[in-house]
Amino acid sequence: MTVTPQGRTRRAALVSAVCALAVGLTGCAEDPDEGTNGVGKLPAAQIQTKTRAAAGSVDAVRLSGTVVTSGRTYRLDMRLKADGGTGSVTAEGTTFHLLRVGEQLYLKADAAFWKHDEDGKAAGGGSDTAAADKLDDKYVKVPTGDPSYKKFSGFTDKDLLLDGLLTLHGSVKTDGHHEQSGVRTIRITGDGGSGGTLDVSLEGDPYPLRLVRGGGAGTLSFSAWGKDFALEEPAKGATVDYGKQLPTS
């Protein structure tokens, strides 16, 4: 039997009328998972498994927000993919740029960054000031054996970052339907939120969209999943190579 447009309209009107009549008895609530990818109906542990799998299945993502580690707050705005990443990091009021292409890591910052040690104390000596001036706004190659390499390369490693960040601690449960930047989400929590909360997209693939880390360890947003971007080494004229170790303050 063929249903005409008029028939569909009458049927929709009838459903609405029945719903309105029954609202006092049943609430006739809308299904929050209607038209979604369906993960909102799953147990929290399965949602976490699916969102981690979705995050690992694509090569590119943008990550922005704050991460608190070892008592220090880092504000990140990074584009990441399988073979590297690029973006900015702000710590202690100072912003520097990171670029990793394959194994090669570059760090670009102004002279003030190079004139201070990692605790924010001024470096002494005229030679330090002269070296800092030469590094001002240049991409500095970070040697793989330098302590800074391990410290900063992690900010450019998609798999390493996501594996560490997308883990909720404690008992994982769902915490209702929400919305992030106009996208419907299902929220899961670890230990009622003390172990972190994660909003997972209900539209398209179940990508993680927003993470609040447990213990006040930062809040991060994820976007541009699967959107490729250019990743190229800087021009030679914009690069300084310090050999085996960066200058120390």
Side-chain angles (χ1 to χ4, degrees):
M1 180 179 66
T2 301
V3 179
T4 65
Q6 292 82 358
R8 285 195 292 267
T9 300
R10 285 195 296 270
R11 185 171 61 185
L14 179 60
V15 170
S16 297
V18 171
C19 183
L21 181 63
V23 74
L25 300 175
T26 66
C28 205
E30 294 182 3
D31 180 1
D33 292 300
E34 183 178 357
T36 72
N37 55 27
V39 297
K41 299 179 181 180
L42 301 176
Q46 289 187 33
I47 297 173
Q48 182 170 235
T49 297
K50 282 186 173 293
T51 195
R52 289 174 66 92
S57 69
V58 295
D59 287 338
V61 64
R62 182 173 183 176
L63 180 154
S64 59
T66 57
V67 172
V68 181
T69 179
S70 301
R72 180 168 295 184
T73 299
Y74 295 91
R75 180 170 294 279
L76 312 178
D77 187 0
M78 302 294 301
R79 298 288 303 272
L80 308 171
K81 59 182 181 178
D83 58 347
T86 182
S88 65
V89 179
T90 300
E92 306 294 332
T94 300
T95 299
F96 54 94
H97 296 267
L98 294 174
L99 169 64
R100 183 174 64 83
V101 183
E103 293 299 315
Q104 185 59 65
L105 177 67
Y106 299 89
L107 189 157
K108 183 171 76 168
D110 61 19
F113 173 88
W114 298 106
K115 290 177 183 177
H116 291 73
D117 63 23
E118 65 177 12
D119 293 317
K121 298 177 182 178
S127 60
D128 293 320
T129 299
D133 289 340
K134 290 181 180 179
L135 301 180
D136 181 42
D137 206 33
K138 294 283 189 179
Y139 281 101
V140 178
K141 284 187 177 182
V142 182
T144 55
D146 191 277
S148 296
Y149 187 91
K150 183 177 181 180
K151 178 179 179 179
F152 293 132
S153 64
F155 289 131
T156 67
D157 191 320
K158 172 182 174 286
D159 292 338
L160 180 65
L161 270 177
L162 295 184
D163 284 347
L165 292 173
L166 298 180
T167 298
L168 300 177
H169 301 284
S171 177
V172 182
K173 297 181 179 180
T174 57
D175 187 29
H177 292 70
H178 299 267
E179 185 177 294
Q180 296 295 330
S181 301
V183 177
R184 288 179 292 174
T185 67
I186 182 70
R187 183 172 296 170
I188 55 177
T189 67
D191 276 349
S194 62
T197 68
L198 183 64
D199 276 62
V200 177
S201 176
L202 288 175
E203 301 177 18
D205 292 304
Y207 295 127
L209 297 184
R210 185 174 185 267
L211 170 72
V212 179
R213 302 181 73 204
T219 300
L220 291 162
S221 296
F222 307 91
S223 61
W225 286 102
K227 294 183 179 180
D228 197 14
F229 59 95
L231 195 61
E232 300 177 351
E233 292 190 15
K236 289 185 178 180
T239 305
V240 176
D241 188 346
Y242 254 82
K244 295 183 179 180
Q245 187 171 1
L246 294 181
T248 57
S249 44

